[in-house]
Amino acid sequence: MTYCLGIITESGIVMASDSRTNAGVDYISTYLKLFDFSLTGERVILVSTSGNLSITQGVINELKKDLKISEGTNLHTLSTLYEIARYIGGKIRQILEQDRSWLQQDRIDTGCSILLGGQIKGQDPELFLIYPQGNCISATKETPFLQIGETKYGKPILDRALSFYTSLEAAAKCALVSIDSTMKSNLSVGPPINLVMYEKDSFKIRHRLQMRLGDPYLAKVRKFWEVALKDALDEMPDLNWLYDCQESQEDILID
């Protein structure tokens, strides 16, 4: 299992991922899941993967191969980010068609999904979620984030604290807290944490971090968030225990 997320704001894009692929009592493995295919000055292309590792690695290898041999259709020749999303979706289908029957014989889950974020010169930044079937959806002003993998633990902070008009720096902090909250609740998500912040119209990645197990800033963020939540709980208004005993006007009308 893994957890990756992308956030789009009026100022740019934040993408983040953990690196854990398997967890058990005596076996934990880590692999990079956030990839940068940018062409400085022309386009920024960030790809994050979740799901069956052999499938997603196959897709990443195909993307790299097409760039290396200057295939006519590749990440640097397609004219829109939507076309790139469909191109990546086609690569997912290609790998699945080759491997699905053999994997299913051993009941191996072939599920996978990919986040694509970035900007092509002359266009606005965009963020897409690409499904294993090859189709995709995009983030919007109303829904400025997309998640893949173990999404449920990190979603509440995004729902409550994030909007399209959140500052890029605040969005990066929000992404980090979302991943840390997921790590706190699920052993299958873990460091190193990779975080990228892209500023709109810069066409260059200037801000990236990798935080390993025991990273002092990551520990500081976790402690700060836990204290802030406890303080907020202490400051909440006390429950009105008499409220439940009072017959509401709605109950009277129903009777």
Side-chain angles (χ1 to χ4, degrees):
M1 187 53 72
T2 189
Y3 177 44
C4 308
L5 73 154
I7 299 170
I8 188 166
T9 76
E10 62 179 348
S11 303
I13 288 175
V14 171
M15 291 186 69
S17 75
D18 80 320
S19 300
R20 186 163 293 177
T21 59
N22 199 353
V25 175
D26 59 357
Y27 182 71
I28 295 176
S29 59
T30 59
Y31 286 90
L32 181 66
K33 302 172 192 173
L34 181 56
F35 303 89
D36 182 2
F37 292 98
S38 301
L39 188 61
T40 300
E42 295 293 331
R43 58 182 62 197
V44 166
I45 301 172
L46 298 167
V47 173
S48 190
T49 63
S50 171
N52 183 289
L53 187 61
S54 68
I55 301 297
T56 57
Q57 282 191 343
V59 171
I60 295 299
N61 285 332
E62 285 292 320
L63 299 179
K64 290 179 178 178
K65 183 194 74 174
D66 285 354
L67 285 172
K68 185 175 181 179
I69 65 175
S70 298
E71 183 70 32
T73 299
N74 64 55
L75 294 173
H76 292 170
T77 61
L78 291 163
S79 58
T80 68
L81 216 64
Y82 174 73
E83 290 176 350
I84 292 175
R86 296 296 299 183
Y87 160 71
I88 295 174
K91 294 296 185 182
I92 297 175
R93 288 196 299 267
Q94 175 186 327
I95 300 296
L96 282 173
E97 287 171 4
Q98 293 172 2
D99 298 346
R100 181 186 284 112
S101 62
W102 298 100
L103 293 171
Q104 288 181 341
Q105 285 182 17
D106 293 321
R107 299 181 180 179
I108 296 174
D109 184 8
T110 59
C112 63
S113 49
I114 289 177
L115 290 179
L116 166 69
Q119 183 181 17
I120 294 176
K121 203 163 187 177
Q123 303 170 31
D124 290 329
E126 293 181 279
L127 176 66
F128 290 92
L129 167 58
I130 307 166
Y131 295 104
Q133 294 80 8
N135 57 325
C136 62
I137 61 171
S138 64
T140 66
K141 289 183 179 180
E142 294 72 31
T143 55
F145 67 88
L146 295 170
Q147 304 166 279
I148 55 176
E150 185 56 83
T151 62
K152 58 182 177 292
Y153 300 109
K155 192 172 185 291
I157 174 64
L158 303 175
D159 284 333
R160 291 180 179 274
L162 195 66
S163 82
F164 181 72
Y165 303 101
T166 301
S167 73
L168 205 54
E169 186 67 33
K173 293 178 184 178
C174 198
L176 187 57
V177 171
S178 179
I179 286 189
D180 183 70
S181 298
T182 304
M183 290 194 301
K184 179 73 173 178
S185 299
N186 192 318
L187 182 64
S188 70
V189 176
I193 304 303
N194 291 287
L195 181 69
V196 173
M197 184 174 76
Y198 167 67
E199 298 164 310
K200 181 180 178 180
D201 295 333
S202 65
F203 298 101
K204 183 177 181 179
I205 301 297
R206 296 193 179 102
H207 305 284
R208 67 175 81 232
L209 288 173
Q210 184 179 83
M211 287 164 277
R212 297 186 176 277
L213 183 65
D215 183 278
Y217 180 73
L218 193 58
K220 184 177 181 180
V221 166
R222 172 171 290 189
K223 182 64 177 178
F224 186 91
W225 185 243
E226 288 176 350
V227 170
L229 286 176
K230 290 175 182 176
D231 288 346
L233 187 62
D234 290 340
E235 294 173 9
M236 284 181 64
D238 291 337
L239 290 168
N240 180 1
W241 292 103
L242 296 177
Y243 179 80
D244 189 50
C245 301
Q246 297 173 352
E247 190 173 34
S248 70
Q249 186 67 28
E250 183 180 352
D251 292 334
I252 295 173
L253 291 175
I254 291 175
D255 291 342

